[in-house]
Coordinates of all heavy atoms in Angstrom, one line a residue:
M288 N 18.3 11.6 4.9 CA 16.9 11.3 5.1 C 16.5 11.6 6.5 O 17.1 11.0 7.4 CB 16.6 9.8 4.7 CG 15.2 9.5 4.7 SD 14.8 7.8 4.3 CE 16.3 7.1 3.9
E289 N 15.5 12.4 6.7 CA 15.1 12.7 8.1 C 13.9 11.9 8.5 O 13.7 11.7 9.7 CB 14.8 14.2 8.2 CG 16.1 15.0 8.3 CD 15.9 16.5 8.0 OE1 14.7 17.0 8.2 OE2 16.8 17.2 7.7
R290 N 13.0 11.5 7.6 CA 11.8 10.8 7.9 C 11.7 9.5 7.2 O 12.2 9.4 6.1 CB 10.6 11.7 7.6 CG 10.4 12.8 8.6 CD 9.2 13.6 8.3 NE 9.1 14.7 9.2 CZ 8.5 14.6 10.4 NH1 7.9 13.4 10.8 NH2 8.4 15.6 11.2
C291 N 11.1 8.5 7.8 CA 10.8 7.2 7.1 C 10.0 7.5 5.9 O 8.9 8.1 5.9 CB 10.1 6.3 8.1 SG 9.5 4.8 7.3
P292 N 10.4 6.9 4.7 CA 9.7 7.2 3.5 C 8.3 6.4 3.5 O 7.5 6.7 2.7 CB 10.6 6.6 2.4 CG 11.6 5.8 3.1 CD 11.7 6.2 4.5
I293 N 8.2 5.5 4.4 CA 7.0 4.7 4.4 C 5.9 5.3 5.4 O 4.8 5.5 5.0 CB 7.3 3.2 4.8 CG1 8.2 2.6 3.7 CG2 6.0 2.4 5.0 CD1 9.1 1.6 4.2
C294 N 6.3 5.5 6.6 CA 5.3 6.0 7.6 C 5.6 7.4 8.1 O 4.8 7.9 8.8 CB 5.3 5.0 8.8 SG 6.7 5.2 9.8
R295 N 6.6 8.1 7.6 CA 7.0 9.5 7.9 C 7.4 9.7 9.4 O 7.4 10.8 9.8 CB 5.8 10.4 7.6 CG 5.2 10.3 6.2 CD 6.2 10.5 5.0 NE 6.7 11.9 5.0 CZ 7.8 12.2 4.3 NH1 8.5 11.3 3.7 NH2 8.2 13.4 4.3
A296 N 7.7 8.6 10.1 CA 8.2 8.8 11.4 C 9.6 9.4 11.4 O 10.4 9.2 10.4 CB 8.3 7.5 12.2
T297 N 10.0 10.2 12.4 CA 11.3 10.8 12.4 C 12.4 9.7 12.7 O 12.1 8.8 13.5 CB 11.4 11.9 13.6 OG1 10.3 12.7 13.5 CG2 12.6 12.7 13.5
L298 N 13.5 9.8 11.9 CA 14.4 8.7 12.0 C 15.6 8.9 13.0 O 16.1 8.0 13.6 CB 15.0 8.4 10.6 CG 14.1 7.7 9.6 CD1 14.7 7.7 8.2 CD2 13.7 6.3 10.1
N299 N 16.0 10.1 13.1 CA 17.2 10.4 14.0 C 18.4 9.6 13.6 O 19.1 9.1 14.5 CB 16.8 10.3 15.4 CG 15.8 11.3 15.9 OD1 15.8 12.5 15.5 ND2 14.9 10.9 16.7
G300 N 18.7 9.4 12.4 CA 19.9 8.7 12.0 C 19.8 7.1 12.1 O 20.7 6.5 11.7
A301 N 18.7 6.6 12.5 CA 18.5 5.2 12.7 C 18.4 4.5 11.3 O 17.8 5.1 10.4 CB 17.3 4.8 13.6
E302 N 18.9 3.2 11.2 CA 18.7 2.5 9.9 C 17.5 1.7 9.9 O 17.1 1.2 8.8 CB 20.0 1.7 9.7 CG 21.2 2.5 9.4 CD 22.3 1.7 8.7 OE1 22.2 0.5 8.6 OE2 23.3 2.4 8.3
T303 N 16.8 1.5 11.0 CA 15.6 0.8 11.0 C 14.5 1.7 11.6 O 14.8 2.3 12.7 CB 15.7 -0.5 11.9 OG1 16.8 -1.3 11.4 CG2 14.4 -1.3 11.8
C304 N 13.4 1.9 11.0 CA 12.4 2.8 11.5 C 11.8 2.2 12.8 O 11.4 1.0 12.8 CB 11.3 2.9 10.4 SG 9.9 3.9 11.0
R305 N 11.7 3.1 13.8 CA 11.2 2.6 15.1 C 9.7 2.3 15.1 O 9.2 1.6 15.9 CB 11.6 3.5 16.2 CG 10.9 4.9 16.1 CD 11.4 5.9 17.1 NE 11.2 7.2 16.6 CZ 10.0 7.8 16.5 NH1 8.9 7.2 16.9 NH2 9.9 9.0 16.0
R306 N 9.0 3.0 14.1 CA 7.6 2.8 14.1 C 7.1 1.6 13.3 O 6.4 0.8 13.7 CB 6.9 4.1 13.6 CG 5.4 4.1 13.9 CD 4.7 5.2 13.1 NE 4.9 6.5 13.7 CZ 4.7 7.6 13.1 NH1 4.3 7.6 11.8 NH2 4.9 8.8 13.7
C307 N 7.6 1.6 12.0 CA 7.1 0.5 11.1 C 8.1 -0.6 10.9 O 7.9 -1.5 10.2 CB 6.6 1.1 9.8 SG 7.9 1.7 8.7
R308 N 9.3 -0.4 11.5 CA 10.4 -1.4 11.4 C 11.0 -1.5 10.0 O 11.6 -2.6 9.7 CB 10.0 -2.8 11.9 CG 9.3 -2.8 13.3 CD 10.1 -2.1 14.4 NE 11.4 -2.7 14.7 CZ 12.3 -2.1 15.4 NH1 12.1 -0.9 15.8 NH2 13.5 -2.7 15.6
A309 N 10.8 -0.6 9.1 CA 11.3 -0.7 7.8 C 12.8 -0.7 7.8 O 13.4 0.1 8.6 CB 10.8 0.5 6.9
E310 N 13.5 -1.5 7.0 CA 14.9 -1.6 6.9 C 15.4 -0.5 5.9 O 15.2 -0.7 4.7 CB 15.2 -3.0 6.4 CG 16.4 -3.8 7.0 CD 17.1 -3.2 8.2 OE1 17.9 -2.2 7.9 OE2 17.0 -3.7 9.3
L311 N 16.1 0.5 6.4 CA 16.4 1.6 5.5 C 17.9 1.7 5.3 O 18.3 2.7 4.6 CB 15.9 2.9 6.1 CG 14.3 2.9 6.3 CD1 13.9 4.0 7.2 CD2 13.6 2.9 5.0
G312 N 18.7 0.7 5.7 CA 20.1 0.8 5.6 C 20.6 1.0 4.1 O 21.4 1.9 3.9
S313 N 20.0 0.2 3.2 CA 20.5 0.3 1.8 C 20.0 1.7 1.2 O 20.8 2.3 0.4 CB 20.0 -0.8 1.0 OG 18.6 -0.8 0.9
V314 N 18.9 2.2 1.6 CA 18.4 3.5 1.1 C 19.3 4.6 1.6 O 19.7 5.5 0.8 CB 16.9 3.7 1.6 CG1 16.4 5.0 1.0 CG2 16.0 2.6 1.2
L315 N 19.7 4.5 2.9 CA 20.6 5.5 3.5 C 21.9 5.4 2.8 O 22.5 6.5 2.6 CB 20.7 5.3 5.0 CG 19.5 5.6 5.8 CD1 19.6 5.1 7.2 CD2 19.2 7.1 5.8
R316 N 22.4 4.2 2.5 CA 23.7 4.1 1.9 C 23.7 4.7 0.5 O 24.6 5.4 0.1 CB 24.2 2.6 1.8 CG 24.9 2.2 3.0 CD 25.5 0.8 2.8 NE 24.5 -0.2 2.7 CZ 23.9 -0.8 3.7 NH1 24.2 -0.5 4.9 NH2 23.0 -1.8 3.5
T317 N 22.6 4.5 -0.2 CA 22.4 5.1 -1.6 C 22.4 6.6 -1.5 O 23.1 7.3 -2.3 CB 21.1 4.6 -2.2 OG1 21.1 3.2 -2.2 CG2 21.0 5.1 -3.7
E318 N 21.7 7.1 -0.5 CA 21.7 8.6 -0.3 C 23.1 9.2 0.0 O 23.5 10.2 -0.6 CB 20.8 8.9 0.9 CG 19.4 9.1 0.6 CD 18.6 9.8 1.7 OE1 19.2 10.4 2.6 OE2 17.4 9.7 1.7
R319 N 23.8 8.4 0.8 CA 25.2 8.9 1.1 C 26.1 8.9 -0.1 O 26.9 9.7 -0.3 CB 25.8 8.0 2.2 CG 25.7 8.6 3.6 CD 26.5 7.9 4.6 NE 26.0 6.5 4.7 CZ 25.3 6.0 5.7 NH1 25.0 6.8 6.7 NH2 24.9 4.8 5.8
M320 N 25.9 7.8 -0.9 CA 26.7 7.7 -2.1 C 26.4 8.8 -3.1 O 27.3 9.4 -3.6 CB 26.4 6.3 -2.8 CG 27.5 5.8 -3.7 SD 26.9 4.4 -4.6 CE 26.7 3.2 -3.3
A321 N 25.1 9.2 -3.2 CA 24.7 10.3 -4.1 C 25.3 11.6 -3.6 O 25.7 12.4 -4.4 CB 23.2 10.4 -4.0
E322 N 25.4 11.7 -2.3 CA 26.0 12.9 -1.7 C 27.5 13.0 -2.0 O 28.0 14.1 -2.3 CB 25.7 12.9 -0.2 CG 25.8 14.3 0.4 CD 25.6 14.2 1.9 OE1 24.6 13.6 2.3 OE2 26.4 14.8 2.7
E323 N 28.2 11.9 -1.9 CA 29.6 11.8 -2.2 C 29.9 12.2 -3.6 O 30.8 12.9 -3.9 CB 30.2 10.4 -1.9 CG 30.6 10.3 -0.4 CD 30.9 8.8 -0.1 OE1 31.4 8.1 -1.0 OE2 30.6 8.4 1.1
I324 N 29.1 11.6 -4.5 CA 29.2 11.9 -6.0 C 28.9 13.4 -6.2 O 29.6 14.0 -7.0 CB 28.3 10.9 -6.8 CG1 28.7 9.5 -6.6 CG2 28.5 11.3 -8.3 CD1 27.8 8.5 -7.2
R325 N 27.9 13.9 -5.6 CA 27.6 15.3 -5.7 C 28.8 16.2 -5.3 O 29.1 17.2 -6.0 CB 26.3 15.7 -4.9 CG 25.7 17.0 -5.4 CD 24.5 17.3 -4.6 NE 24.8 17.5 -3.2 CZ 24.1 17.1 -2.1 NH1 23.1 16.4 -2.3 NH2 24.5 17.4 -0.9
T326 N 29.4 15.8 -4.2 CA 30.6 16.6 -3.7 C 31.7 16.5 -4.7 O 32.4 17.5 -5.0 CB 31.1 16.0 -2.4 OG1 29.9 16.0 -1.5 CG2 32.1 16.9 -1.7
M327 N 31.9 15.3 -5.3 CA 32.9 15.1 -6.3 C 32.6 16.0 -7.5 O 33.6 16.7 -8.1 CB 33.0 13.7 -6.8 CG 33.9 12.8 -6.0 SD 33.5 11.0 -6.1 CE 33.5 10.7 -7.8
A328 N 31.4 16.1 -7.9 CA 31.0 16.9 -9.0 C 31.3 18.4 -8.8 O 31.8 19.1 -9.6 CB 29.5 16.7 -9.3
M329 N 31.0 18.8 -7.6 CA 31.3 20.2 -7.2 C 32.8 20.5 -7.3 O 33.2 21.5 -7.8 CB 30.8 20.3 -5.7 CG 30.7 21.7 -5.2 SD 29.4 22.6 -6.1 CE 29.4 24.1 -5.2
H330 N 33.6 19.5 -6.8 CA 35.1 19.7 -6.9 C 35.5 19.8 -8.4 O 36.4 20.6 -8.7 CB 35.8 18.6 -6.2 CG 35.7 18.7 -4.7 ND1 36.4 17.9 -3.8 CD2 35.0 19.6 -3.9 CE1 36.1 18.3 -2.6 NE2 35.3 19.3 -2.6
R331 N 35.0 18.9 -9.2 CA 35.4 18.9 -10.6 C 35.0 20.3 -11.3 O 35.7 20.8 -12.0 CB 34.7 17.8 -11.4 CG 35.1 16.4 -11.1 CD 36.6 16.2 -10.9 NE 37.4 16.6 -12.1 CZ 38.7 16.8 -12.1 NH1 39.3 16.7 -10.9 NH2 39.3 17.2 -13.1
F332 N 33.8 20.8 -10.9 CA 33.4 22.0 -11.4 C 34.3 23.2 -11.0 O 34.7 24.0 -11.8 CB 31.9 22.3 -10.9 CG 31.4 23.6 -11.4 CD1 31.2 23.8 -12.8 CD2 31.0 24.6 -10.5 CE1 30.6 25.0 -13.2 CE2 30.5 25.8 -11.0 CZ 30.3 26.0 -12.3
M333 N 34.7 23.2 -9.7 CA 35.6 24.2 -9.2 C 37.0 24.1 -9.9 O 37.7 25.1 -10.0 CB 35.8 24.0 -7.7 CG 34.6 24.0 -6.9 SD 33.8 25.7 -6.8 CE 33.4 25.7 -5.1
S334 N 37.4 22.9 -10.3 CA 38.7 22.8 -10.9 C 38.6 23.0 -12.4 O 39.5 22.6 -13.2 CB 39.4 21.5 -10.6 OG 38.6 20.6 -9.9
G335 N 37.5 23.5 -12.9 CA 37.4 23.9 -14.3 C 37.1 22.7 -15.2 O 37.6 22.7 -16.4
D336 N 36.4 21.7 -14.7 CA 36.0 20.5 -15.5 C 34.5 20.3 -15.5 O 34.0 19.4 -14.9 CB 36.8 19.3 -15.0 CG 36.6 18.1 -15.8 OD1 35.9 18.1 -16.9 OD2 37.1 17.0 -15.4
P337 N 33.8 21.2 -16.2 CA 32.3 21.1 -16.1 C 31.7 19.9 -16.7 O 30.7 19.4 -16.3 CB 31.8 22.4 -16.8 CG 33.0 22.8 -17.7 CD 34.2 22.3 -17.0
E338 N 32.4 19.3 -17.7 CA 31.9 18.1 -18.4 C 31.8 16.9 -17.4 O 30.8 16.3 -17.3 CB 32.7 17.6 -19.6 CG 32.6 18.5 -20.8 CD 33.5 19.7 -20.8 OE1 34.5 19.7 -19.9 OE2 33.3 20.7 -21.5
T339 N 32.9 16.7 -16.7 CA 33.0 15.6 -15.7 C 32.0 15.9 -14.6 O 31.3 15.0 -14.1 CB 34.4 15.4 -15.1 OG1 35.3 15.3 -16.2 CG2 34.5 14.2 -14.3
A340 N 31.9 17.2 -14.2 CA 31.0 17.6 -13.1 C 29.6 17.3 -13.5 O 28.8 16.7 -12.7 CB 31.2 19.1 -12.9
D341 N 29.2 17.5 -14.7 CA 27.8 17.3 -15.2 C 27.5 15.8 -15.2 O 26.5 15.4 -14.8 CB 27.7 17.9 -16.6 CG 26.2 17.9 -17.1 OD1 25.4 18.5 -16.3 OD2 25.9 17.3 -18.1
R342 N 28.5 15.0 -15.7 CA 28.4 13.5 -15.7 C 28.2 13.0 -14.3 O 27.3 12.2 -14.1 CB 29.6 12.9 -16.4 CG 29.4 11.5 -16.9 CD 30.3 11.2 -18.1 NE 31.6 11.9 -18.0 CZ 32.7 11.4 -17.3 NH1 32.5 10.2 -16.7 NH2 33.8 12.0 -17.3
L343 N 29.0 13.4 -13.4 CA 28.9 13.0 -12.0 C 27.6 13.4 -11.4 O 26.9 12.6 -10.7 CB 30.0 13.5 -11.1 CG 31.4 13.0 -11.4 CD1 32.5 13.8 -10.7 CD2 31.5 11.5 -10.9
L344 N 27.2 14.6 -11.6 CA 25.9 15.1 -11.1 C 24.7 14.3 -11.6 O 23.8 14.0 -10.8 CB 25.8 16.6 -11.4 CG 24.8 17.4 -10.6 CD1 25.2 17.3 -9.1 CD2 24.7 18.8 -11.0
K345 N 24.8 14.0 -12.9 CA 23.7 13.2 -13.4 C 23.5 11.8 -12.7 O 22.4 11.4 -12.4 CB 23.9 12.9 -14.9 CG 23.1 13.7 -15.8 CD 23.3 13.3 -17.3 CE 23.8 14.5 -18.1 NZ 24.5 14.1 -19.3
R346 N 24.7 11.2 -12.4 CA 24.7 9.9 -11.7 C 24.1 10.1 -10.3 O 23.3 9.3 -9.8 CB 26.1 9.4 -11.6 CG 26.1 7.9 -11.4 CD 27.5 7.4 -11.2 NE 28.5 7.8 -12.2 CZ 29.8 7.7 -12.1 NH1 30.3 7.3 -10.9 NH2 30.6 8.1 -13.0
S347 N 24.5 11.2 -9.6 CA 24.1 11.5 -8.3 C 22.5 11.7 -8.3 O 21.8 11.2 -7.4 CB 24.8 12.8 -7.8 OG 24.2 13.3 -6.6
L348 N 22.0 12.4 -9.3 CA 20.6 12.7 -9.4 C 19.8 11.4 -9.6 O 18.7 11.3 -9.1 CB 20.3 13.7 -10.5 CG 20.6 15.2 -10.1 CD1 20.6 16.0 -11.4 CD2 19.5 15.7 -9.2
L349 N 20.4 10.4 -10.3 CA 19.7 9.1 -10.5 C 19.6 8.4 -9.2 O 18.6 7.7 -9.0 CB 20.5 8.3 -11.5 CG 20.4 8.6 -13.0 CD1 21.3 7.7 -13.8 CD2 18.9 8.4 -13.5
L350 N 20.6 8.5 -8.4 CA 20.6 7.8 -7.1 C 19.6 8.5 -6.1 O 18.9 7.8 -5.4 CB 22.0 7.8 -6.5 CG 23.0 6.9 -7.2 CD1 24.4 7.1 -6.5 CD2 22.6 5.4 -7.1
H351 N 19.7 9.8 -6.1 CA 18.9 10.5 -5.1 C 18.7 12.0 -5.6 O 19.7 12.7 -5.7 CB 19.6 10.5 -3.7 CG 18.7 11.1 -2.7 ND1 19.3 11.9 -1.7 CD2 17.4 11.0 -2.4 CE1 18.3 12.3 -0.9 NE2 17.1 11.8 -1.3
R352 N 17.5 12.3 -5.9 CA 17.2 13.7 -6.4 C 17.0 14.6 -5.2 O 16.0 14.5 -4.5 CB 16.0 13.6 -7.3 CG 15.9 14.7 -8.2 CD 14.7 14.5 -9.2 NE 14.7 15.7 -10.1 CZ 15.5 15.8 -11.1 NH1 16.3 14.8 -11.5 NH2 15.4 16.9 -11.9
T353 N 17.9 15.6 -5.0 CA 17.8 16.5 -3.9 C 17.7 17.9 -4.5 O 18.2 18.2 -5.6 CB 19.0 16.5 -3.0 OG1 20.2 16.9 -3.7 CG2 19.2 15.1 -2.4
P354 N 17.1 18.9 -3.8 CA 17.0 20.2 -4.3 C 18.4 20.8 -4.6 O 18.6 21.6 -5.6 CB 16.3 21.0 -3.2 CG 15.6 20.0 -2.4 CD 16.4 18.7 -2.6
E355 N 19.4 20.5 -3.7 CA 20.7 21.0 -3.9 C 21.3 20.5 -5.2 O 22.0 21.3 -5.9 CB 21.7 20.5 -2.7 CG 21.3 21.0 -1.4 CD 20.3 20.1 -0.6 OE1 19.7 19.3 -1.3 OE2 20.2 20.4 0.6
A356 N 21.2 19.2 -5.5 CA 21.7 18.6 -6.7 C 21.1 19.3 -8.0 O 21.7 19.5 -9.0 CB 21.6 17.1 -6.7
V357 N 19.8 19.5 -7.9 CA 19.0 20.1 -9.0 C 19.5 21.5 -9.2 O 19.8 21.9 -10.4 CB 17.5 20.0 -8.8 CG1 16.7 20.8 -9.8 CG2 17.0 18.6 -8.7
S358 N 19.7 22.3 -8.2 CA 20.2 23.7 -8.4 C 21.6 23.7 -8.9 O 22.0 24.5 -9.7 CB 20.2 24.5 -7.1 OG 19.5 24.0 -6.1
L359 N 22.4 22.7 -8.4 CA 23.8 22.6 -8.9 C 23.8 22.3 -10.4 O 24.6 22.9 -11.2 CB 24.6 21.6 -8.2 CG 26.1 21.4 -8.4 CD1 26.8 22.7 -8.0 CD2 26.6 20.3 -7.6
Q360 N 22.9 21.5 -10.9 CA 22.8 21.1 -12.3 C 22.4 22.4 -13.1 O 23.0 22.6 -14.2 CB 21.8 20.0 -12.5 CG 21.9 19.4 -13.9 CD 21.1 18.2 -14.1 OE1 19.9 18.2 -13.7 NE2 21.6 17.2 -14.6
K361 N 21.5 23.1 -12.6 CA 21.1 24.4 -13.3 C 22.3 25.3 -13.4 O 22.5 25.9 -14.5 CB 20.0 25.1 -12.5 CG 18.6 24.4 -12.8 CD 17.5 25.2 -12.1 CE 16.2 24.4 -12.0 NZ 15.4 24.7 -10.9
L362 N 23.1 25.4 -12.4 CA 24.3 26.3 -12.3 C 25.3 25.8 -13.4 O 25.9 26.6 -14.1 CB 24.9 26.2 -10.9 CG 25.9 27.2 -10.6 CD1 25.2 28.5 -10.2 CD2 26.7 26.8 -9.3
L363 N 25.4 24.5 -13.5 CA 26.4 23.9 -14.4 C 26.0 24.2 -15.9 O 26.8 24.2 -16.8 CB 26.5 22.4 -14.2 CG 27.3 21.9 -13.1 CD1 27.3 20.4 -13.0 CD2 28.8 22.4 -13.2
R364 N 24.7 24.2 -16.1 CA 24.2 24.3 -17.5 C 23.9 25.7 -18.0 O 23.4 25.9 -19.0 CB 23.0 23.4 -17.6 CG 23.3 22.0 -17.4 CD 22.2 21.1 -17.6 NE 22.8 19.7 -17.7 CZ 22.1 18.6 -17.8 NH1 20.8 18.7 -17.9 NH2 22.6 17.4 -17.9
R365 N 24.3 26.7 -17.2 CA 24.1 28.1 -17.6 C 25.0 28.4 -18.8 O 26.2 28.0 -18.8 CB 24.3 29.0 -16.5 CG 23.1 29.3 -15.8 CD 23.2 30.6 -15.1 NE 24.4 30.7 -14.2 CZ 24.4 31.3 -13.0 NH1 23.4 31.8 -12.5 NH2 25.5 31.3 -12.4
Ligands
ZN130 ZN1 8.5 3.9 9.2

């Protein structure tokens, strides 16, 4: 996350927005978790296990929908 979802101020990796003081720690943790699961999905896909990859990717998309995860899902479902 590069910008505060509430006021759009640049975050620079901070967990509290310097402008509106929004607490974004849990949101950032969720984003990181989604990214880890997406990486796991990619690895499963590379090791020839597209079913697990698809399942992991679905979970990742529920946590955080990114353009990368969406394109990966399209790739998996071809
Ligand atoms: Zn803010």
